[in-house]
Amino acid sequence: MMQMAKGVPVATVAVNNATNAGLLAIRMLGVGDADLLARMNQYQEDTRDYVLTKAEKLRKDGWEAYLN
């Protein structure tokens, strides 16, 4: 069994992780709705930026400072 990170649209989702199921549904609906697809793409870009910021903080400060 494999679990994808939050923000990755997948057909199989983990228990208590409705976000990925919702993203998959939006991607499917976005085939016929350009605005919906654009909004999803923006959400994914924002999520990517958030994750990269957290990763940089972890790299710079170390895991102990990150968790505090």
Side-chain angles (χ1 to χ4, degrees), residues 16-37:
N16 294 326
N17 194 356
T19 301
N20 288 349
L23 289 172
L24 176 64
I26 291 169
R27 178 162 285 183
M28 293 168 72
L29 293 169
V31 169
D33 186 333
D35 179 58
L36 191 59
L37 189 59

Side-chain angles (χ1 to χ4, degrees), residues 31-49:
V31 169
D33 186 333
D35 179 58
L36 191 59
L37 189 59
R39 290 169 56 196
M40 184 190 142
N41 288 334
Q42 184 62 55
Y43 170 81
Q44 287 186 300
E45 287 179 25
D46 294 344
T47 301
R48 180 196 64 218
D49 295 342

Side-chain angles (χ1 to χ4, degrees), residues 4-10 12-14 17-25:
M4 295 302 292
K6 184 175 181 178
V8 178
V10 293
T12 311
V13 296
N17 194 356
T19 301
N20 288 349
L23 289 172
L24 176 64

